[in-house]
Amino acid sequence: MRAIAGTDQLSVVTVPDPEAGPDEVVIDVVAAGVNRADLLQRKGLYPPPPGAVDTLGLEVSGRIAAVGEHVSGWQVGDEVCALLAGGGYAEKVAVPAVQVLPKPASVDLVHAAALPEVACTVASNVFDAGHLASGELLLIHGGSSGIGTHAIQVAHAIGARVAVTARTAQKLDRCRELGADIPINYADDDFVEIVRGSGGADVILDIMGAKYLEKNVKALNTGGRLVIIGMQGGTKAELSIAALMTKRASVIGTTLRSRPVSGVNSKADVVVTTRRITWPLLESGEVVPIVDATFPLADADAAHARLDSGDAIGKVLLTID
């Protein structure tokens, strides 16, 4: 089969077809999502977890081509999408069956590749970790990203208020169209002042890490939950314990890729939560995948450049032509 390999320049190579293990399925890939984790792995900054293949790609959509002997609930021909530890930039991929999700009826198969990473990230962090409830205020940093555009829609659908940060009027307009109530241009405005003026954030979904830590704590409401899922703004910062205690607030750091396949707090658990919370909203059309651009597999370099530019609104996908 064809797959993408390389670091400085990505290229198409021929590799052996994967085989389904006892608890796995093999998927004929139709499309793969492009994520910032792929860009970091390419630079040697985010190696795959032990046992995962080196090929880039953390999510795909496609059709099941083979089913392991211990797998139930899936059969050859099923249209699905899946969360991966790696290997998505290829014509076929083997994945634990517990990390597979059915293609929502209202979503075409290519665009379904835009769902697993963002949906699982939002379900596990905004709801499992952040416990966002109807009527609360969610602040999303990077509102126009794949995760951000998905989180806006899901939070809006459950009755939460949504504040977002982004750097251009075009991105903020798109966030507003998706359901954001408080669009904030972080280049011109103080998000802390604006969010506190709206009562404070009950949950913050943060991709920046160190750079925003102090500001995020200031922006929290009493009892607020800061959930850090990225380190684009660095890894080390001072934290005022007094400020945290005064607000009875929480700071939570999580990852998705390194979780075990099964067990407590595993990828299997996250997939179950995602299917329960998000899939009905996708099936009804209340939430839709937001796709910025698609590129053929051979143009993976161009897809990475698009994501790395910071201009994308929503997800960038690779299609298997």
Side-chain angles (χ1 to χ4, degrees):
M1 70 172 184
R2 295 179 303 152
I4 292 293
T7 52
D8 292 339
Q9 184 172 358
L10 300 176
S11 59
V12 178
V13 298
T14 300
V15 298
D17 286 0
E19 296 184 359
D23 299 306
E24 295 180 327
V25 301
V26 171
I27 297 172
D28 282 331
V29 177
V30 169
V34 178
N35 292 280
R36 289 202 172 273
D38 302 334
L39 277 61
L40 292 173
Q41 181 177 331
R42 185 177 174 182
K43 296 175 182 177
L45 300 175
Y46 191 34
V53 297
D54 292 332
T55 304
L56 301 173
L58 301 180
E59 58 188 338
V60 297
S61 61
R63 299 177 180 88
I64 292 180
V67 177
E69 59 181 316
H70 296 162
V71 173
S72 60
W74 300 110
Q75 60 186 9
V76 172
D78 284 347
E79 293 188 334
V80 297
C81 55
L83 183 70
L84 312 175
Y89 290 14
E91 291 181 314
K92 294 177 181 288
V93 65
V95 56
V98 292
Q99 294 173 207
V100 178
L101 288 154
K103 183 193 78 66
S106 62
V107 178
D108 72 69
L109 192 53
V110 169
H111 283 192
L115 294 173
E117 269 286 324
V118 298
C120 288
T121 296
V122 170
S124 61
N125 291 290
V126 174
F127 295 99
D128 266 357
H131 304 292
L132 182 70
S134 177
E136 291 190 320
L137 177 60
L138 168 67
L139 169 61
I140 305 164
H141 290 301
S144 62
S145 66
I147 290 172
T149 54
H150 182 81
I152 291 168
Q153 296 179 79
V154 177
H156 178 75
I158 66 111
R161 294 183 298 145
V162 182
V164 299
T165 62
R167 65 179 173 88
T168 69
Q170 179 189 13
K171 289 185 173 185
L172 291 170
D173 286 345
R174 186 66 177 117
C175 291
R176 190 182 289 107
E177 291 170 359
L178 293 171
D181 304 284
I182 308 169
I184 304 167
N185 188 323
Y186 66 78
D188 300 328
D189 301 314
D190 182 351
F191 76 80
V192 175
E193 180 180 341
I194 293 172
V195 171
R196 289 177 68 173
S198 298
D202 298 290
V203 179
I204 300 177
L205 187 63
D206 177 55
I207 59 173
M208 295 303 294
K211 183 178 180 180
Y212 277 8
L213 180 60
E214 182 180 2
K215 289 183 176 181
N216 279 332
V217 172
K218 288 180 178 179
L220 283 174
N221 193 0
T222 300
R225 291 81 71 193
L226 167 60
V227 186
I228 302 173
I229 61 170
M231 301 175 289
Q232 293 183 31
T235 61
K236 294 183 180 180
E238 289 190 2
L239 172 64
S240 171
I241 301 300
L244 204 64
M245 292 174 66
T246 299
K247 292 188 174 185
R248 301 190 299 279
S250 305
V251 177
I252 304 158
T254 74
T255 61
L256 182 57
R257 188 182 192 184
S258 61
R259 293 180 187 232
V261 171
S262 58
V264 179
N265 294 321
S266 64
K267 291 174 185 172
D269 281 351
V270 171
V271 167
V272 169
T273 298
T274 303
R275 190 165 180 175
R276 173 176 56 83
I277 293 174
T278 313
W279 247 240
L281 300 174
L282 288 162
E283 294 284 1
S284 69
E286 289 182 81
V287 174
V288 298
I290 306 301
V291 176
D292 175 84
T294 61
F295 296 82
L297 183 66
D299 289 343
D301 269 322
H304 278 208
R306 176 62 184 172
L307 183 60
D308 200 31
S309 72
D311 294 330
I313 298 177
K315 295 286 293 189
V316 175
L317 302 180
L318 292 172
T319 56
I320 309 300
D321 49 348

